[in-house]
Amino acid sequence: MISAQKDSVRYLDFSEPFVNSELYHSLRSQILDLLPQSIYSPSQESVDGFLSECVSSHESGAEKKLCFAALDDLNHVLGFVQFRSFSSDADLDFVLVSSHCRGRGIGKLLLQNSFLFLKRNGVERIILEVGTGNSAAKRLYVSLGFMEVSLRKNYYRSGEDALVMELLI
Ligand SMILES: CC(C)(COP(=O)(O)OP(=O)(O)OC[C@H]1O[C@@H](n2cnc3c(N)ncnc32)[C@H](O)[C@@H]1OP(=O)(O)O)[C@@H](O)C(=O)NCCC(=O)NCCS
């Protein structure tokens, strides 16, 4: 379940069944509490449904749902990322690092660790959308090697456009 450890941050993947449901419920409620920290957050209901599906049956048809979290040694959630994967492609739906620990490399390490896991499981390409005004996220993705492939006009409810980016892993 623990996929990597660096600088006292652990990376936990939700694709393994949770033997400790107390831990799962704690992580889920912490993740839901973090959502208001970003204007790009999906709704609480959709993330809650996503997390429940990750632990109950994370595979429906050809689609797999995966969530990874960065935790400190007290199991506090520092950040998380969710993916939907379809054979050799994975869509990065959403990534968030807690506002009090941004800019410390946690987002980048969280993504690098989850890409290693996805690669070991047959994923070859990561695709994502990012708001054209979200400079922190764009910088994060560019620093990981993502390339811009197209623009989706009025992609967000606010009317903001999204860049579509991809990375071959
Ligand atoms: C985007 C986000 C996940 C970045 O997480 P983070 O842990 O702060 O990022 P890191 O510290 O790992 O930084 C990774 C890279 O991005 C750059 N970066 C991070 N925040 C930045 C900012 N505010 N401005 C400019 N560059 C920034 C870093 O300099 C680093 O680049 P480098 O490796 O070339 O030095 C975080 O800002 C966040 O949670 N934002 C709100 C949610 C969101 O917008 N998610 C993306 C949309 S789905």
Side-chain angles (χ1 to χ4, degrees):
M1 189 183 285
I2 304 298
S3 49
Q5 186 155 2
K6 186 168 178 184
D7 300 328
S8 79
V9 176
R10 290 176 297 136
Y11 298 90
L12 182 118
D13 83 72
F14 282 54
S15 65
E16 293 288 327
F18 265 75
V19 274
N20 179 347
S21 70
E22 206 176 302
L23 174 62
Y24 167 71
H25 286 293
S26 160
L27 300 182
R28 189 181 72 166
S29 83
Q30 290 184 63
I31 286 173
L32 295 176
D33 286 349
L34 289 177
L35 296 181
Q37 293 187 5
S38 169
I39 56 166
Y40 297 97
S41 296
S43 69
Q44 293 238 345
E45 291 74 19
S46 68
V47 173
D48 196 20
F50 185 95
L51 294 172
S52 306
E53 281 187 52
C54 282
V55 290
S56 53
S57 121
H58 72 279
E59 200 161 338
S60 72
E63 182 184 291
K64 287 183 192 168
K65 297 195 176 192
L66 293 152
C67 177
F68 301 84
L71 308 177
D72 69 11
D73 48 12
L74 296 174
N75 285 336
H76 294 139
V77 175
L78 307 180
F80 74 97
V81 57
Q82 62 181 46
F83 295 92
R84 282 171 298 125
S85 86
F86 314 86
S87 63
S88 59
D89 280 352
D91 279 5
L92 193 165
D93 273 344
F94 184 64
V95 56
L96 186 143
V97 170
S98 177
S99 51
H100 73 275
C101 47
R102 288 181 191 163
R104 285 169 32 191
I106 291 171
K108 192 167 182 174
L109 273 170
L110 176 60
L111 293 185
Q112 285 171 329
N113 278 292
S114 45
F115 295 167
L116 284 177
F117 177 96
L118 293 170
K119 189 172 179 166
R120 283 199 301 271
N121 285 277
V123 171
E124 294 168 4
R125 183 171 67 149
I126 312 286
I127 302 158
L128 59 82
E129 286 90 17
V130 58
T132 48
N134 192 350
S135 50
K138 278 197 292 184
R139 179 75 189 269
L140 166 66
Y141 301 140
V142 168
S143 79
L144 286 161
F146 278 87
M147 307 290 286
E148 290 177 24
V149 288
S150 58
L151 183 73
R152 293 206 171 135
K153 296 293 260 179
N154 298 312
Y155 181 78
Y156 294 100
R157 250 174 302 172
S158 63
E160 187 180 348
D161 300 338
L163 288 172
V164 181
M165 303 184 89
E166 71 170 29
L167 175 71
L168 301 179
I169 56 174

